Amino acid sequence: MRRRTFLRAAAAAGALAWPANGLPAHAASGGVRGMIARYLGPAAGQFELRTLPAAANGLDRFQISGRPGHVVLAGSSPIAQAAAFNWWLKHVANGHISWDYNRLDHLPALLPAPATPITLSSPHRIRLQGNVCWLGYTSPYWDWDRWQQEIDYFAASGYTHVPMYIGHELAYYQLLLDIGYSDQQARSWIPLPAHQPWWWFDNMSNFAEPIPLDLMRRRAELGNRIAERMRELGVTPVVPGFLGFVPTDFGQRHPGVDVIPQGNWGAYVRPSLLNPVEPLYRQLADDFYRQQDRLFPGGQRAYGGDFFQEGGQVGDLDLAAAGASVQRAMQAASPGALWMLQAWSGNPRQQMMAGLDLSTVFVLDLQADVDPQWTKLDAFWGAPWTWGTISNAGGTVVLYGRLPAINTELPAVLADPRRGALAGVHFAPEGNDTNPVLGDFLSDMFWRSQPVDLPAWISDYAARRYGRRDPEADAAWQLLLATAYGMSGNTGNVDTAPDSLFNAQPSLTATSADIYVTGVLPYDPGQLQLALRRLLAADPSLRREATYRYDLLDVARQVLDNAGRTLLPQLNEAFLAGDRTRFRALADHWLDLITLQDNLLGTDARFMVGTWLDHARRSASTPAEAALLDYNARDILTAWGNRAVSDAGLHDYANRDWQGLVGDHYRHRWALFFDSLERGTTVDWFAVNDAWNRRGNTYPSTPTGDTHQVASRVWRTLAADPMFARVTAAVSGSRVDVTVANTNVAGVARRTTVSLSAPDGFDTGGPVNLGDVATGGSAHTAFTVRVPSGYVVKTAMDRIPITATARFGYGATALTNAGYAELLIPAPVQPPYRTVTFTTSVFGQKDNSFAIYTGGADMWGGINEFGTIYRPATLAVGGSVTTEVTAQANTGPWARAGIVIRDDLTTNGTAGYLTLALTPGNGCLLSYDGNGDGELDGLVIAPGFAAPSQLRLTRTGPTTYTGTCSHDGTTWTTVGSVTVPGGGAAQDVGLFAEAASTTTMGLVRFSGFTVT
């Protein structure tokens, strides 16, 4: 077979995948040569591996030299030799490997060598890949073939350390048997594979069926094989240490031993902590490490483990002594082994670090690129530490990366005199196998101490990933660098971009599927859409490359996800406006976009839920076990546990843009939701998720369709989508201002006209011609709405719906879009009531009903922006005021509506100031001025209340007040009793509202205003 033909056949699927029992001898052998052979086949014989002395500071270095057909890779360690191979492949041979697809079939028969030797050294002693979470979110069910590919990628990327917990649960199981737990009890405590990382973190224990013993044994065999291969390549496995986490009944079994309950992690009860200073701890630790050594021999390892990961209770624990005890047990088991700690959720604690031998620990500053802890914790008090990035939460499929931050901040930290014992760098996504450009860039930066020319680097990356320089592909990547991969600066936020709203638990106000990540897109989505257009326009020859097709799908997928952020608010507006016809049309369009997304994802096996579920089922040895693992693999993506856990907010944390999951489960949820809105019913989302988790149906894992064709359909669909001609209407008195903003990057909104509609009798005038609205431009007009003569106000504040309709064309297609507003017609407030506002407000009263339409940023500290209908000098000692908040606009979770008391409500800063209020998202609040300075500074909360609810505020003494809330006016809940100094004999009392927003106003309605 000719050389090129061989390589083309070997890499036809992109990632080289040899048959499990058919590896050639040169590929089956261990070490770096075996890795090269698994990538290049017989061409591995053209490499000579040599040992190179380490750099003067003891750090890794490599050198690449030789001649065509004889390439010399010299390295100070096996991992340096492996990294030299990847550097040669990228920067000499113009090849490419990644954790999705490789491009290797272009290499010539005689492999090239550099014209002059390339010598590089790494400024980083530790280069760690992986977050322990990825063992649950990405790889819990991988087989050996899949693991081989990942390990080779780790080694070629130059990683020195990788967390590897697979199968170590068997050591814990044996420990539990040794201390008296039964087989059933032990297996009922240990979670199934996808949830095990959080068990190791002491966040949870098993919530499902007991884990099968035979499964643990098979995983231990696999884990040992993985660790052996890692060590052959110079990668140190980071394995779980024993910190003393035990079942919650352990203290009952061992009375007199100090066992500290750890409370809850969300709705999960955390395992307890056996105090590591107890003699029993050392006995258990030694037993655990003996079991671990028996199952996983080989020596070279580091340990992972943290106290108080995302919570927990310190109790009477002496942190310094506890940490020292844990470290002594680790060192007894594996002298010289490092203990990996995480700078996360308040860890590491200085008290514990003070008791440690810092020469055998290192700290991961997990998201140093956005929220660095080393600057806050004195560079971890002298402990070695690593700088790094997470970039992914839950393994979600999101186009995101902070390349500029990595490029500038990592070299800056290396030169910062405050850096302390900086020892390395890490790349720790919670899920792997997304955003391959990040791993590629980091593997270069491991060997640099200065920033690169990032636009030039990204251009070279595209050329070697696709096999040629293409101007359209290059332009696309420059746009990607300016958008999804262009973030920099320390934001203090979770290190990821928002996920897909198609994947969210349905809500018309959703901003993310995972409630713990940002809901704001950090770049201009139109520019990413232009990147899609440029990728589609690349030379057709690129379509043969799996790498190009993967990126095209990934960009098109993200563009479609981003479009959901434009469409969903318009769905909400149509629903709130009561425009049922348009709401149904937009809902159908939403479902069609989900179907289009599913079709796109189905063109690549790496974006298919069938691939994920196949791995789980193939891990099983019986049909019953296959069903159990299928459930576990689904549950981690959807409910993330039992009902309490899901309802507490963990649902959809690990959502995925995967074919089958999107088109079947997520689409079904949205269809149910839209139907429930029209019928006025509710949906039990946990039941829906749990039913899918237990269905047991299969999904395809073989792709269908042409990626370029479906991605082109995505472009065409969005290019003609009317949602991008955004129509907004704003009312001021009788004037309605209408704006049409064209955010469609594909073209001009031509021949645009706008008209207003209102109920019969209201005169809105005729349509207005706005002409063409350019891409990125907007057009504006104003209308005057005339109220019918003799109109009688029916409520405290009548709401007259106004619809602004724009008609326009994208190309030859005639389209419409709409926006909504309300003309407010208040009935006048009558004596003895008065009004005052410290923001923009409109007030109305009809008999015993009241209404306030208002803005206002907040009511706390020096900010007092609200509007009130009040009675002056009315509330005396022993008096009370009662009202019902019948409706409250959800302008924000902390918006307030209720009762306000003050000596003088017309003047901010006066004494005796307090409020009792409902909020849309935080229950009933009693806020008060506790020190008499005229500002609200105290807060008591009663959760579970929202409009409609009744409120009562009673002045029980000259300076004491009690607030109560009721759902029905019969059963009252005491929110709190507070002391507010300085109240006068008779205080002003009012109904008030504030929007908790600087941009949005909202309407609140009250029934009754009774003062006794």
Side-chain angles (χ1 to χ4, degrees):
M1 183 181 291
R2 292 177 57 203
R3 166 68 185 150
R4 286 183 181 273
T5 304
F6 172 83
L7 283 175
R8 187 171 295 111
L16 190 62
W18 294 93
N21 58 356
L23 283 174
H26 54 262
S29 60
V32 176
R33 185 169 299 281
M35 180 204 76
I36 297 173
R38 286 186 291 275
Y39 279 124
L40 299 185
Q46 297 184 41
F47 290 88
E48 178 185 350
L49 302 180
R50 295 179 183 173
T51 300
L52 191 69
N57 54 9
L59 298 177
D60 269 336
R61 69 184 184 122
F62 65 71
Q63 184 178 81
I64 307 168
S65 61
R67 64 182 186 278
H70 184 87
V71 182
V72 179
L73 304 177
S76 56
S77 65
I79 205 66
Q81 293 174 338
F85 166 74
N86 195 19
W87 195 279
W88 167 85
L89 184 65
K90 292 197 287 187
H91 301 294
V92 178
N94 196 38
H96 177 74
I97 61 172
S98 72
W99 56 25
D100 50 69
Y101 293 105
N102 305 326
R103 199 188 60 78
L104 302 169
D105 62 340
H106 70 291
L107 299 177
L110 288 181
L111 299 180
T116 58
I118 300 171
T119 303
L120 293 171
S121 61
S122 175
H124 307 288
R125 177 166 60 93
I126 295 171
R127 304 179 294 275
L128 180 139
Q129 204 289 330
N131 183 313
V132 175
C133 297
W134 88 281
L135 299 170
Y137 286 138
T138 303
S139 58
Y141 293 113
W142 281 358
D143 57 20
W144 172 240
D145 285 346
R146 182 64 186 85
W147 268 110
Q148 280 198 103
Q149 296 175 39
E150 201 79 358
I151 298 166
D152 285 344
Y153 174 73
F154 291 156
S157 298
Y159 292 108
T160 60
H161 293 74
V162 174
M164 180 41 54
Y165 288 24
I166 299 294
H168 287 256
E169 68 273 15
L170 187 58
Y172 233 123
Y173 168 81
Q174 295 290 351
L175 170 64
L176 292 173
L177 296 186
D178 290 347
I179 58 177
Y181 285 86
S182 69
D183 164 77
Q184 180 77 8
Q185 290 168 334
R187 292 189 298 107
S188 296
W189 187 62
I190 299 170
L192 295 169
H195 287 84
Q196 279 190 15
W198 299 273
W199 170 68
W200 288 112
F201 290 153
D202 192 48
N203 297 146
M204 60 175 291
S205 55
N206 195 6
F207 67 91
E209 294 181 36
I211 186 169
L213 176 57
D214 189 53
L215 174 65
M216 289 193 287
R217 289 171 173 162
R218 296 195 308 273
R219 281 170 52 83
E221 292 173 1
L222 175 62
N224 186 45
R225 196 174 184 186
I226 292 167
E228 288 178 348
R229 174 60 60 79
M230 285 183 173
R231 294 186 185 107
E232 288 175 3
L233 293 168
V235 180
T236 298
V238 181
V239 302
F242 181 76
L243 273 71
F245 301 134
V246 292
T248 53
D249 68 348
F250 186 87
Q252 300 169 13
R253 291 169 174 256
H254 298 272
V257 175
D258 188 14
V259 179
I260 305 168
Q262 290 299 289
N264 283 29
W265 182 66
Y268 280 120
V269 177
R270 305 173 71 113
S272 296
L273 174 64
L274 169 62
N275 190 332
V277 304
E278 288 278 353
L280 183 59
Y281 164 81
R282 185 56 185 267
Q283 296 175 35
L284 269 59
D286 289 347
D287 190 0
F288 175 82
Y289 290 127
R290 278 194 299 271
Q291 301 290 354
Q292 195 175 54
D293 288 343
R294 178 180 62 83
L295 294 167
F296 306 95
Q300 175 196 348
R301 67 184 58 162
Y303 291 108
D306 297 90
F307 298 119
F308 319 121
Q309 202 272 352
E310 296 184 357
Q313 303 295 323
V314 176
D316 60 357
L317 196 66
D318 181 329
L319 288 172
S325 178
V326 169
Q327 190 178 44
R328 283 194 298 271
M330 289 177 176
Q331 292 303 306
S334 186
L338 299 179
W339 180 7
M340 180 188 77
L341 300 167
Q342 299 182 108
W344 186 256
S345 64
N347 286 331
R349 305 193 184 200
Q350 187 174 10
Q351 302 97 309
M352 188 188 81
M353 299 296 287
L356 300 183
D357 174 2
L358 298 184
S359 68
T360 57
V361 301
F362 69 101
V363 179
L364 306 184
D365 195 351
L366 274 174
Q367 50 179 14
D369 58 331
V370 296
D371 188 18
Q373 299 301 299
W374 71 273
T375 57
K376 304 172 185 177
L377 302 180
D378 193 19
F380 306 110
W381 311 286
W385 64 281
T386 62
W387 184 98
T389 180
I390 292 179
S391 81
N392 177 279
T396 53
V397 185
V398 177
L399 212 63
Y400 174 79
R402 297 169 57 80
L403 295 185
I406 296 168
N407 189 43
T408 59
E409 293 170 24
L410 180 54
V413 171
L414 281 169
D416 195 315
R418 303 170 299 161
R419 68 187 181 278
L422 176 66
V425 64
H426 63 263
F427 180 34
E430 289 190 350
N432 284 1
D433 289 6
T434 63
N435 298 295
V437 67
L438 279 180
D440 197 290
F441 184 62
L442 272 165
S443 69
D444 266 17
M445 293 302 291
F446 290 165
W447 305 92
R448 302 181 189 272
S449 58
Q450 297 295 324
V452 302
D453 180 338
L454 203 47
W457 186 93
I458 208 78
S459 182
D460 291 343
Y461 170 80
R464 64 176 181 266
R465 184 161 166 84
Y466 302 153
R468 57 170 290 179
R469 292 193 181 276
D470 181 274
E472 295 291 344
D474 184 75
W477 272 99
Q478 298 301 326
L479 286 166
L480 288 168
L481 181 59
T483 53
Y485 296 121
M487 274 61 73
S488 63
N490 296 330
T491 63
N493 296 324
V494 175
D495 188 9
T496 188
D499 48 19
S500 173
L501 298 183
F502 297 141
N503 305 353
Q505 181 168 295
S507 165
L508 294 180
T509 58
T511 58
S512 64
D514 166 14
I515 65 171
Y516 297 100
V517 303
T518 178
V520 179
L521 200 64
Y523 57 84
D524 179 357
Q527 294 301 299
L528 190 72
Q529 195 170 343
L530 291 176
L532 172 61
R533 181 166 69 180
R534 302 306 287 264
L535 268 183
L536 286 168
D539 191 282
S541 65
L542 266 60
R543 300 175 199 173
R544 296 193 295 267
E545 300 291 344
T547 47
Y548 166 80
R549 296 194 302 272
Y550 177 99
D551 290 347
L552 179 63
L553 187 159
D554 210 12
V555 173
R557 172 204 59 73
Q558 189 65 57
V559 166
L560 204 49
D561 280 349
N562 291 350
R565 297 184 170 276
T566 298
L567 182 56
L568 188 61
Q570 297 180 40
L571 266 162
N572 188 39
E573 291 167 7
F575 179 77
L576 293 177
D579 190 341
R580 295 296 181 258
T581 299
R582 184 163 178 265
F583 172 77
R584 188 69 252 179
L586 291 178
D588 290 343
H589 184 41
W590 180 267
L591 297 176
D592 289 343
L593 291 182
I594 294 178
T595 299
L596 177 57
Q597 182 75 291
D598 197 66
N599 291 339
L600 175 69
L601 299 169
T603 65
D604 190 307
R606 291 180 178 271
F607 292 90
M608 301 176 73
V609 75
T611 303
W612 169 259
L613 296 177
D614 282 355
H615 277 298
R617 292 192 188 97
R618 288 200 303 265
S619 296
S621 60
T622 67
E625 190 175 288
L628 179 62
L629 302 188
D630 180 87
Y631 162 78
N632 182 230
R634 292 171 186 246
D635 182 82
I636 195 72
L637 306 179
T638 58
W640 219 106
N642 56 32
R643 178 181 290 277
V645 170
S646 180
D647 290 348
L650 268 180
H651 63 83
D652 300 301
Y653 182 89
N655 70 89
R656 305 294 163 86
D657 278 14
W658 282 350
Q659 187 270 339
L661 180 62
V662 170
D664 185 5
H665 183 54
Y666 295 153
R667 189 185 188 281
H668 172 64
R669 292 197 308 193
W670 280 102
L672 285 176
F673 175 65
F674 294 143
D675 289 346
S676 74
L677 290 178
E678 293 181 324
R679 296 173 182 173
T681 58
T682 59
V683 179
D684 182 342
W685 293 119
F686 173 78
V688 172
N689 287 334
D690 194 56
W692 183 80
N693 295 344
R694 300 180 187 277
R695 271 174 62 185
N697 62 308
T698 59
Y699 290 94
S701 56
T702 301
T704 58
D706 181 279
T707 300
H708 193 275
Q709 290 180 4
V710 184
S712 297
R713 196 186 320 152
V714 170
W715 170 263
R716 292 193 303 271
T717 298
L718 298 183
D721 199 311
M723 71 168 124
F724 293 112
R726 191 79 168 87
V727 182
T728 56
V731 175
S732 178
S734 61
R735 175 187 170 106
V736 181
D737 290 281
V738 179
T739 301
V740 179
N742 181 23
T743 61
N744 190 344
V745 297
V748 174
R750 300 193 179 279
R751 304 172 301 280
T752 303
T753 62
V754 174
S755 59
L756 279 192
S757 59
D760 290 345
F762 287 82
D763 182 7
T764 60
V768 176
N769 185 358
L770 299 180
D772 294 345
V773 183
T775 295
S778 62
H780 169 81
T781 190
F783 298 82
T784 298
V785 179
R786 294 178 174 82
V787 179
S789 60
Y791 179 83
V792 177
V793 180
K794 303 175 180 63
T795 67
M797 190 174 299
D798 287 357
R799 304 164 64 182
I800 309 302
I802 303 293
T803 301
T805 302
R807 292 174 174 81
F808 56 95
Y810 285 145
T813 306
L815 302 166
T816 63
N817 203 1
Y820 305 93
E822 289 180 334
L823 181 66
L824 299 177
I825 306 179
V829 175
Q830 303 289 337
Y833 301 107
R834 303 178 184 179
T835 65
V836 67
T837 185
F838 300 97
T839 181
T840 303
S841 301
V842 179
F843 304 99
Q845 178 197 354
K846 183 77 169 180
D847 300 326
N848 207 30
S849 296
F850 304 84
I852 304 174
Y853 179 73
T854 190
D858 201 358
M859 294 177 69
W860 189 255
I863 304 175
N864 290 280
E865 299 181 1
F866 65 97
T868 178
I869 301 172
Y870 73 100
R871 293 175 58 180
T874 300
L875 187 65
V877 174
S880 66
V881 58
T882 304
T883 190
E884 180 180 8
V885 180
T886 59
Q888 181 182 21
N890 186 2
T891 54
W894 290 98
R896 307 185 199 196
I899 300 166
V900 59
I901 296 172
R902 204 171 203 170
D903 283 1
D904 181 2
L905 279 171
T906 66
T907 305
N908 268 330
T910 56
Y913 185 26
L914 72 158
T915 69
L916 179 67
L918 294 176
T919 66
N922 290 289
C924 187
L925 314 182
L926 179 59
S927 306
Y928 60 97
D929 172 13
N931 59 14
D933 66 355
E935 298 180 354
L936 297 177
D937 51 33
L939 178 65
V940 185
I941 300 177
F945 287 93
S949 291
Q950 297 186 39
L951 307 176
R952 178 174 294 151
L953 191 52
T954 302
R955 188 176 183 185
T956 56
T959 60
T960 57
Y961 304 81
T962 296
T964 57
C965 295
S966 174
H967 293 295
D968 57 11
T970 301
T971 302
W972 291 82
T973 297
T974 299
V975 182
S977 296
V978 299
T979 298
V980 182
Q987 295 180 283
D988 292 359
V989 60
L991 308 179
F992 85 99
E994 62 95 6
S997 172
T998 59
T999 59
T1000 305
M1001 298 177 67
L1003 180 63
V1004 177
R1005 294 187 184 275
F1006 302 85
S1007 177
F1009 184 176
T1010 303
V1011 181
T1012 58

